[in-house]
């Protein structure tokens, strides 16, 4: 977390914070809240992940717990997004495309689960999924205002 590359990787979590805040400010409170929690959980996990890997330590129970929290927050956000999409009056195609692209990047970060390749692909996952979540939230907000 003390290197420019590590800090850049951690900074990609800002995409979630921006998306969640923007949704909350526009009145989409549930998805905004979910994405904000995901931002915190993701930052916490990746910060601890980087801290321990830079110290050459074996992954601790604290890092594993942070990962469980990260996965839980991401899952709640994703399930909420899927519910929003399946109940929408019109499918938000750009959000769907970004979601698929984001999952592809997430998959690549699991394939290349080491060092810079992991940080690159996982950063793209952060940005795509945050933007997709934002678009899904906006679409849901617009459909409830009709």
């Amino acid at each position: 977390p003390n290197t420019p590359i590590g800090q850049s990787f951690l900074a990609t979590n800002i995409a979630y914070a921006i998306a969640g805040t923007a949704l909350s400010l526009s009145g989409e409170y549930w998805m905004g809240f979910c994405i904000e929690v995901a931002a915190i959980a993701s930052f916490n996990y990746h910060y601890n992940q980087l801290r321990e890997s830079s110290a050459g330590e074996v992954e601790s129970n604290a890092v594993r717990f942070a990962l469980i929290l990260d996965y839980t927050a991401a899952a709640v956000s994703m399930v909420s997004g899927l519910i929003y999409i399946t109940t929408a009056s019109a499918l938000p195609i750009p959000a769907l495309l970004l979601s698929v692209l984001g999952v592809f990047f997430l998959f690549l970060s699991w394939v290349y689960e080491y060092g810079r390749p992991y940080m690159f692909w996982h950063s793209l996952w952060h940005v795509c999924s945050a933007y997709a979540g934002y678009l899904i939230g906006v679409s849901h907000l617009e459909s409830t205002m009709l």
Side-chain angles (χ1 to χ4, degrees):
N2 300 322
T3 66
I5 290 174
Q7 291 168 353
S8 297
F9 174 54
L10 290 172
T12 63
N13 287 292
I14 292 171
Y16 292 124
I18 292 168
T21 300
L23 287 173
S24 294
L25 291 174
S26 54
E28 179 51 60
Y29 301 114
W30 176 250
M31 186 62 82
F33 172 76
C34 288
I35 294 174
E36 286 292 333
V37 171
I40 294 165
S42 179
F43 180 88
N44 178 55
Y45 167 64
H46 292 303
Y47 177 83
N48 285 294
Q49 176 190 40
L50 289 172
R51 184 179 48 82
E52 286 196 8
S53 68
S54 69
E57 297 178 24
V58 176
E59 194 172 85
S60 70
N61 287 335
V63 173
R64 288 186 194 99
F65 182 68
L67 177 61
I68 290 169
L69 293 177
D70 181 33
Y71 277 9
T72 302
V76 169
S77 296
M78 291 169 76
V79 167
S80 295
L82 286 171
I83 291 169
Y84 278 15
I85 287 171
T86 58
T87 60
S89 55
L91 288 176
I93 301 300
L96 293 173
L97 294 174
L98 272 170
S99 297
V100 170
L101 185 60
V103 169
F104 176 70
F105 292 143
L106 179 62
F107 173 76
L108 287 175
S109 73
W110 289 336
V111 170
Y112 301 101
E113 196 171 11
Y114 56 88
R116 290 180 182 180
Y118 169 80
M119 288 190 281
F120 175 77
W121 295 118
H122 205 78
S123 291
L124 292 175
W125 153 250
H126 287 168
V127 174
C128 286
S129 62
Y131 192 37
Y134 171 76
L135 292 176
I136 291 167
V138 166
S139 175
H140 179 259
L141 185 62
E142 289 171 352
S143 70
T144 59
M145 295 178 136
L146 297 176

